[in-house]
Amino acid sequence: MNALPRAAELGLIGCHVCGLVCRDAHAAAGAAEVVACPRCGVALHRRKPASYSRTWALLIAAFIMYIPANVVPIMRTASLNDIDDNTIISGVVELWKNGSPNLAIIVFTASIVVPMLKFLALGTLLVSSRRGSNWARQQRAGLYRLVELVGYWSMLDVFVVSLLTALVRFSVLSRVEPLPGVIYFGLTVVLTMLASMSFDPRLIWDGKDTDD
Amino acid sequence: MGTTSEALIVCEHCDTVHQRLALSRGEVARCARCGKVLQRHYRLSTNAMLALIVTALIVFVQANMWPIVMLGLSGQHSSSTLWGVIIAMWREDAGIVSVLVAATLFFLPLLKMLQLGWLLWFARQGRRAPGFVPMMVGLHYLNPWTMSEVFVLGALVAIVKAHTYFDVTPEPGIYAYAVLTVLITVFAGIDLRQLWRTPEVAA
């Protein structure tokens, strides 16, 4: 398994958009300008540009949004004599108590576990790749694939609040209104998606090569 | 080998160079270093994919025209379509959420299906469609931002939440969305990069 050549070593680049394998003209010519993929015209990069700093920036921005997303209520249920504000977690608890525990677990996973997983996973990947660590590379590669796969399911709660807002409008009897928490949460999801897109998983394999 | 090679594949996730393989039915090629899927065998012909896209477009129109669920409370009824949701969020001062919902559930999925339909229509004839390159690049970037399947689960959660206080009646829109999710799942396994191999004819 240790005779697996990598594109950068062979002077090749795989286009990140169309997948075409190109000779790295950049390296050959020693030119400073960016070379475009001959098939799709997108600029070729050996690695995603400024992957560490972009991913860190987006991840930190996402985390800053994530705090009000959890503290500030996301939804208000108003009826004749009662106003009830729900945060993400109190919504899960309510669903658990008088709805369905199974669905509560799904919402808990999408709204709490997945964002936390993204913060922890991307943070771990950033730190370990920066160090050039060869610790659990296979598993880290799998972790990145998991983050990419589940990332967008976090939008679940945003859609739930939106749908309830549109549906529950019985004048004074009963109304649902979105509260600012849902905006912060929506932004958190978008920012974490952008963060995982700007991380370059090839960095996991770029460090010291002490192959087993 | 010239400056490019069709015989090689570079793993997107770890940069390992592999030979492109001819896969047979049901086979999947994974990267030997990191385990990422490199190639899948395509069960569907271009015609079948086009049929699937046209079906998805029809279902998408229905899913958006018809109300999704209806709530009842002491004789009053209230139902909403997807656009009702988008407008309601806009009116409730959640403009960002409204735009997010409109983009991920309406505009981007619609754009994706229209572009795919257009590209496949010409691919059937072994040709590249007008606007082939910008559309293929565009599809690559908008792909992660279509979320119809998440919305179906969201509707389910909303129904269960509303069930405690209201009479809930599912409307046709929810079924259309369920069918759409199945179609999207079938389509998700297809790597559109194969279309890049359509020969370039002098335009």
Side-chain angles (χ1 to χ4, degrees):
Chain A
M1 279 293 173
N2 40 13
L4 295 168
R6 301 187 68 207
E9 295 157 10
L10 300 180
L12 297 174
I13 297 185
C15 174
H16 63 286
V17 172
C18 74
L20 185 68
V21 180
C22 310
R23 191 169 287 287
D24 191 352
H26 188 115
E33 76 267 28
V34 180
V35 181
C37 170
R39 187 160 69 176
C40 70
V42 166
L44 292 172
H45 301 287
R46 281 170 173 239
R47 298 292 178 265
K48 293 179 188 173
S51 179
Y52 285 115
S53 39
R54 280 187 196 181
T55 311
W56 270 123
L58 289 163
L59 198 62
I60 291 167
F63 193 73
I64 292 170
M65 290 290 134
Y66 190 57
I67 296 165
N70 278 285
V71 177
V72 179
I74 58 168
M75 187 172 93
R76 164 168 295 167
T77 316
S79 55
L80 270 180
N81 42 18
D82 183 36
I83 285 183
D84 187 15
D85 289 356
N86 266 315
T87 58
I88 289 173
I89 194 74
S90 75
V92 173
V93 171
E94 196 162 290
L95 194 59
W96 178 280
K97 278 187 191 152
N98 48 15
S100 119
N102 296 327
L103 223 45
I105 291 168
I106 293 175
V107 178
F108 181 77
T109 308
S111 305
I112 313 272
V113 178
V114 170
M116 289 309 275
L117 171 84
K118 284 203 272 190
F119 292 126
L120 292 174
L122 284 175
T124 310
L125 289 172
L126 282 164
V127 171
S128 59
S129 304
R130 187 56 159 231
R131 287 181 167 185
S133 160
N134 64 353
W135 161 75
R137 279 182 166 151
Q138 293 267 354
Q139 288 77 0
R140 284 194 282 144
L143 190 63
Y144 181 72
R145 289 200 298 271
L146 178 71
V147 168
E148 287 274 82
L149 186 72
V150 299
Y152 71 113
W153 284 93
S154 297
M155 284 296 269
L156 185 66
D157 245 352
V158 175
F159 294 154
V160 172
V161 172
S162 305
L163 198 51
L164 287 175
T165 303
L167 286 172
V168 184
R169 28 190 57 248
F170 297 96
S171 54
V172 286
L173 279 178
S174 186
R175 289 180 66 83
V176 165
E177 289 163 22
L179 293 175
V182 75
I183 296 172
Y184 293 115
F185 191 71
L187 290 174
T188 306
V189 179
V190 171
L191 287 167
T192 53
M193 283 178 68
L194 290 171
S196 78
M197 284 174 203
S198 52
F199 180 74
D200 193 331
R202 288 170 291 198
L203 297 170
I204 297 170
W205 304 89
D206 276 352
K208 305 177 283 288
D209 222 9
T210 44
D211 265 49
D212 36 316
Chain B
M1 174 177 142
T3 51
T4 66
S5 171
E6 294 274 0
L8 298 178
I9 297 183
V10 172
C11 174
E12 282 172 81
H13 279 190
C14 71
D15 216 24
T16 304
V17 183
H18 296 272
Q19 294 276 355
R20 189 182 288 279
L21 302 173
L23 299 180
S24 54
R25 201 181 174 81
E27 278 186 330
V28 175
R30 285 177 181 279
C31 175
R33 190 189 300 266
C34 74
K36 163 116 173 75
V37 173
L38 296 172
Q39 290 173 268
R40 272 180 207 282
H41 178 74
Y42 309 112
R43 277 160 297 178
L44 296 173
S45 63
T46 310
N47 270 327
M49 282 195 276
L50 184 63
L52 205 60
I53 281 293
V54 172
T55 315
L57 261 170
I58 294 169
V59 177
F60 182 78
V61 170
Q62 292 170 327
N64 281 283
M65 267 170 35
W66 293 333
I68 299 158
V69 280
M70 187 171 73
L71 299 189
L73 180 67
S74 48
Q76 294 185 58
H77 293 285
S78 160
S79 66
S80 178
T81 60
L82 177 69
W83 271 95
V85 173
I86 295 165
I87 293 164
M89 286 309 268
W90 185 266
R91 292 210 177 124
E92 296 282 351
D93 299 323
I96 299 172
V97 175
S98 170
V99 169
L100 260 176
V101 171
T104 58
L105 299 178
F106 185 81
F107 289 111
L108 297 181
L110 182 63
L111 196 63
K112 180 177 169 177
M113 285 185 278
L114 288 176
Q115 290 192 341
L116 279 174
W118 176 258
L119 293 172
L120 288 168
W121 176 261
F122 283 89
R124 269 175 86 225
Q125 305 156 21
R127 293 202 290 140
R128 285 187 170 194
F132 178 85
V133 172
M135 276 190 199
M136 286 292 286
V137 174
L139 277 174
H140 172 83
Y141 286 110
L142 71 81
N143 218 10
W145 300 100
T146 59
M147 304 188 180
S148 304
E149 59 271 41
V150 182
F151 182 68
V152 176
L153 188 57
L156 198 65
V157 174
I159 287 173
V160 172
K161 282 198 172 191
H163 190 73
T164 341
Y165 308 100
F166 309 98
D167 308 318
V168 183
T169 322
E171 297 260 23
I174 190 87
Y175 298 111
Y177 258 107
V179 174
L180 189 64
T181 307
V182 174
L183 291 172
I184 287 172
T185 313
V186 174
F187 215 85
I190 297 167
D191 182 5
L192 290 163
R193 280 182 174 174
Q194 62 177 319
L195 286 180
W196 280 110
R197 296 211 246 162
T198 328
E200 215 170 330
V201 190

